[in-house]
């Protein structure tokens, strides 16, 4: 996350998943998103009673937000037409389908049209051109590659309309992370983005119009906690596969996890070009200077890079932090320390674990303190994910969540949880 508050689409998906894990169902987040769109359009138009509104929806969650918004606008007196682009059988998520099924039952207040071809589009042209507001809920953050027909022609039609053009989350056709427009995009007068602005919004300012950031009920803890969304994000980041040099003793559990991830490892040996698990062997630091990454336990030597894992029993001496300090205070001080040292630091062993990379802090209180099996899993997962070239902050976030899972359910449950997150 950038300092100005922008967030990537992958981070947003992780936060959504963490929110659901914390008990806030995605259907509720979609409901709040739809309500936010309706209220904002109501304010911009000075009311909705009797006004003709067209909501153009895709088959993903952005379309689901549009379906929910259509229902809310109908309840405010608008004459609503929903145009679904694509096959209704391909509506992808349960929450989007549920909202679609609801509007299909609203036969008196919502008109429905399905556009699957350019011929179908002609039947909807008049609705778009006559609307006082057109809601773009086609792609949102789900844009991928070149835009095909009839989506392409619909975007051109929206851009030619005289009504207020409103983008849901981000104008369709804009890359949410970079702001790049590879083909065409909706040229919105107003963009209503959820929870936090998307990273690409500043670069796509010409397409966004005025930007409104709408909260949708995501608890702040969904960003702070190491949750399943963080684990899924890290697993999706796995790319190459470096060899590992285990320079300190590790448990059989750690070795088993390295085997799960198909990591080649040696006990001891040359660390050059490898991920070096240094553990507590400070006297081997000089031999690790050519390692690709060094992971240490309770060491904060300037030669240690990538990841330092500190037990709370050592945190006061090494970092000047105590487990009984308020969590916010620990986050602030740990983040400053990580920034000063240029390292990713993880503290464990108490009622709450903390992680910082010098700009962000994450924590976990779930199944803490970790049992021995959970701690072994944490070390093994950290090594394995960094060996797969996952960013260390992401790797440790994922390891923190998965270690808590193992601490509760046992190591035998780890592979099934990983398979679930990778599906």
């Amino acid at each position: 996350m950038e300092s100005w508050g922008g967030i990537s689409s992958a981070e947003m998906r992780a936060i959504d998943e963490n929110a659901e894990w914390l008990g806030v169902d995605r259907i509720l987040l979609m409901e709040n998103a739809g309500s936010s769109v309706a209220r904002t359009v109501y304010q911009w138009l000075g009311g909705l009673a009797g006004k003709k509104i067209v909501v153009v929806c895709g088959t993903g969650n952005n379309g689901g937000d549009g379906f929910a918004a259509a229902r809310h606008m109908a309840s405010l007196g608008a004459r609503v037409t929903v145009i679904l682009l694509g096959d209704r059988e391909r509506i992808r998520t349960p929450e989007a389908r549920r909202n679609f099924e609801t509007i299909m039952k609203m036969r008196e207040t919502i008109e429905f049209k399905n556009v699957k071809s350019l011929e179908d589009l002609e039947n909807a042209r008049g609705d778009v051109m006559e609307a006082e507001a057109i809601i773009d809920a086609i792609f949102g953050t789900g844009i991928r590659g070149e835009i095909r027909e009839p989506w392409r022609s619909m975007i051109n039609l929206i851009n030619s309309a005289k009504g207020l053009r409103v983008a849901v989350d981000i104008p369709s056709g804009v890359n949410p992370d970079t702001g790049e427009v590879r083909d065409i995009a909706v040229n919105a007068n107003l963009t209503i983005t959820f929870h936090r602005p998307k990273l690409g919004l500043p670069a796509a300012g010409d397409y966004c119009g005025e930007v409104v950031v709408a909260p949708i009920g995501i608890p702040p803890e969904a960003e702070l906690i190491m949750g399943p969304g963080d684990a899924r994000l890290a697993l999706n980041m796995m790319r190459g596969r470096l060899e590992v040099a285990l320079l300190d003793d590790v448990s059989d559990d750690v070795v088993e996890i390295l085997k799960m991830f198909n990591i080649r490892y040696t006990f001891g040996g040359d660390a050059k070009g490898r991920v070096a698990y240094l553990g507590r062997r400070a006297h081997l630091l000089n031999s690790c200077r050519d390692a690709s990454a060094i992971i240490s336990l309770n060491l904060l030597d300037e030669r240690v890079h990538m990841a330092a894992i500190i037990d709370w029993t050592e945190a006061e001496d090494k970092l000047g932090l105590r487990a009984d300090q308020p969590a916010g205070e620990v986050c602030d001080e740990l983040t400053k320390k990580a920034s000063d040292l240029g390292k990713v630091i993880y503290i464990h062993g108490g009622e709450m674990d903390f992680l910082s990379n010098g700009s962000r802090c994450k924590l976990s209180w779930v199944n803490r303190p970790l049992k021995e099996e959970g701690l072994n899993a944490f070390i093994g997962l950290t090594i394995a994910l960094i060996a797969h070239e996952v960013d260390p902050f992401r790797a440790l976030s994922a390891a923190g969540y998965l270690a808590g899972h193992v601490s509760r359910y046992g190591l035998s449950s780890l592979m099934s949880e990983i398979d679930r997150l990778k599906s």
Side-chain angles (χ1 to χ4, degrees):
M1 191 181 303
E2 301 297 332
S3 59
W4 62 275
I7 195 167
S8 72
S9 55
E11 286 177 307
M12 191 66 232
R13 288 191 295 273
I15 291 168
D16 281 347
E17 184 165 2
N18 287 351
E20 184 174 50
W21 183 55
L22 291 170
V24 183
D25 290 342
R26 293 174 198 251
I27 190 73
L28 179 57
L29 299 180
M30 186 170 285
E31 178 71 10
N32 292 342
S35 176
S36 294
V37 170
R39 289 197 307 271
T40 305
V41 174
Y42 179 98
Q43 292 165 357
W44 271 63
L45 295 182
L48 284 173
K51 291 187 167 63
K52 182 171 177 55
I53 309 295
V54 169
V55 187
V56 186
C57 299
T59 55
N61 272 343
N62 197 241
D65 294 338
F67 300 144
R71 172 166 45 82
H72 281 283
M73 287 188 284
S75 74
L76 292 169
R79 296 181 294 120
V80 179
T81 299
V82 170
I83 300 172
L84 173 64
L85 286 174
D87 190 339
R88 67 178 72 187
E89 299 303 319
R90 295 189 177 181
I91 293 175
R92 292 196 288 273
T93 66
E95 53 272 20
R97 175 155 294 281
R98 182 171 173 183
N99 275 291
F100 173 73
E101 289 170 351
T102 298
I103 67 162
M104 292 302 291
K105 297 171 184 175
M106 298 173 64
R107 298 186 179 185
E108 297 300 313
T109 54
I110 293 179
E111 182 183 8
F112 174 75
K113 294 187 176 182
N114 193 184
V115 171
K116 295 189 284 187
S117 66
L118 290 175
E119 291 75 15
D120 295 334
L121 182 63
E122 288 305 309
N123 185 44
R125 180 177 297 275
D127 295 287
V128 175
M129 298 306 290
E130 295 166 10
E132 292 173 73
I134 306 98
I135 314 302
D136 159 32
I138 303 171
F139 298 130
T141 60
I143 183 67
R144 296 289 184 274
E146 185 179 346
I147 298 172
R148 298 177 290 109
E149 296 291 3
W151 294 265
R152 180 185 183 86
S153 290
M154 177 58 82
I155 290 174
N156 282 326
L157 180 60
I158 292 171
N159 287 341
S160 67
K162 295 180 180 179
L164 177 71
R165 298 182 296 277
V166 181
V168 176
D169 214 15
I170 195 163
S172 292
V174 172
N175 184 306
D177 297 331
T178 66
E180 178 188 11
V181 177
R182 289 183 55 187
D183 192 358
I184 60 171
V186 169
N187 191 354
N189 306 118
L190 169 67
T191 297
I192 305 166
T193 195
F194 305 127
H195 184 63
R196 289 187 183 273
K198 306 310 174 283
L199 281 177
L201 286 174
D206 291 343
Y207 291 91
C208 296
E210 183 166 333
V211 176
V212 173
V213 180
I216 56 173
I218 292 174
E221 286 80 0
E223 288 193 55
L224 286 170
I225 198 164
M226 304 172 211
D230 299 283
R232 189 187 301 274
L233 180 58
L235 291 167
N236 287 336
M237 291 174 69
M238 292 195 305
R239 295 294 180 265
R241 188 168 62 211
L242 300 171
E243 291 189 14
V244 169
L246 299 171
L247 305 181
D248 199 359
D249 294 334
V250 295
S251 70
D252 291 342
D253 291 343
V254 171
V255 172
E256 184 176 342
I257 288 170
L258 296 182
K259 290 177 179 176
M260 282 183 192
F261 281 81
N262 297 314
I263 302 295
R264 293 180 61 184
Y265 60 90
T266 61
F267 293 103
D270 187 359
K272 183 176 181 180
R274 297 179 175 184
V275 173
Y277 174 69
L278 183 66
R280 297 176 178 82
R281 301 289 179 89
H283 63 283
L284 297 178
L285 272 169
N286 286 332
S287 67
C288 295
R289 65 181 63 188
D290 294 322
S292 293
I294 304 173
I295 301 166
S296 69
L297 290 181
N298 293 329
L299 299 176
L300 276 176
D301 191 283
E302 63 182 12
R303 291 164 291 177
V304 174
H305 56 291
M306 278 292 189
I309 301 166
I310 309 293
D311 190 285
W312 268 115
T313 59
E314 299 278 343
E316 185 168 6
D317 179 52
K318 299 288 193 302
L319 300 166
L321 294 172
R322 302 185 319 277
D324 61 356
Q325 288 178 257
E329 191 175 294
V330 172
C331 273
D332 290 343
E333 293 186 22
L334 179 62
T335 298
K336 184 178 185 306
K337 181 68 69 172
S339 177
D340 291 344
L341 296 173
K343 306 181 192 309
V344 179
I345 304 174
Y346 190 105
I347 307 178
H348 72 95
E351 297 299 317
M352 193 174 290
D353 290 1
F354 290 84
L355 164 67
S356 182
N357 63 352
S359 62
R360 295 189 60 186
C361 184
K362 291 188 75 78
L363 47 85
S364 184
W365 56 88
V366 180
N367 301 316
R368 262 50 178 191
L370 294 171
K371 297 177 182 176
E372 182 178 359
E373 193 174 32
L375 180 58
N376 290 337
F378 174 76
I379 293 171
L381 286 159
T382 298
I383 297 169
L385 289 168
I386 290 177
H388 275 288
E389 300 184 311
V390 176
D391 170 84
F393 180 75
R394 294 293 175 201
L396 284 157
S397 296
Y401 163 72
L402 290 166
H405 181 89
V406 169
S407 198
R408 180 173 182 181
Y409 298 107
L411 188 62
S412 61
S413 71
L414 178 60
M415 203 64 232
S416 61
E417 178 65 0
I418 288 172
D419 287 342
R420 183 187 73 82
L421 292 168
K422 292 174 73 173
S423 62

